[in-house]
Amino acid sequence: MIHHPVIRVGSDWMQAICLENDETVIEILSQTGVKEVICGHGHATIVETSRGVTQYMAPATAYGFDHSIPEYNRSQDIGFARLTLFENRIEVEAVSLISV
């Protein structure tokens, strides 16, 4: 679990504020057999896979971001991620609290 995404996702403005060493981090995760990562920061539900690692971005409870809009914005789409942990995998369900 990490706050910033390790795989660049979302709008250009979100990708611009990614981890400075995201390529190194995803490479280390991939080489060490990590299959799933949970992150926040993007205030939206986005799932992306790179190099065998699936990243689950959780929505926010304060305000959302609409990544289809090229400028920084806030939306009323809020929620949380419900995690179910199994021996060899994670099940992630995005739960919406408000959707406008």
Side-chain angles (χ1 to χ4, degrees):
M1 186 175 293
I2 186 169
H3 180 74
H4 288 263
V6 297
I7 301 169
R8 293 180 188 213
V9 295
S11 60
D12 289 343
W13 57 266
M14 176 58 65
Q15 292 186 30
I17 56 174
C18 66
L19 288 175
E20 291 179 7
N21 62 343
D22 60 337
E23 289 293 322
T24 302
V25 172
I26 194 67
E27 186 63 30
I28 290 169
L29 294 175
S30 180
Q31 288 177 356
T32 57
V34 173
K35 300 292 182 201
E36 296 165 308
V37 173
I38 301 158
C39 72
H41 192 64
H43 291 236
T45 302
I46 301 175
V47 179
E48 186 72 36
T49 301
S50 176
R51 299 183 207 170
V53 178
T54 300
Q55 170 180 275
Y56 300 94
M57 181 180 287
T61 56
Y63 54 87
F65 292 149
D66 183 344
H67 290 274
S68 68
I69 299 173
E71 301 86 26
Y72 173 84
N73 66 87
R74 290 184 177 195
S75 75
Q76 294 183 14
D77 289 333
I78 61 172
F80 61 92
R82 178 181 296 141
L83 309 176
T84 305
L85 306 178
F86 297 92
E87 187 173 331
N88 294 314
R89 67 183 175 90
I90 300 170
E91 190 175 284
V92 180
E93 175 190 3
V95 178
S96 178
L97 297 176
I98 298 175
S99 185
V100 176

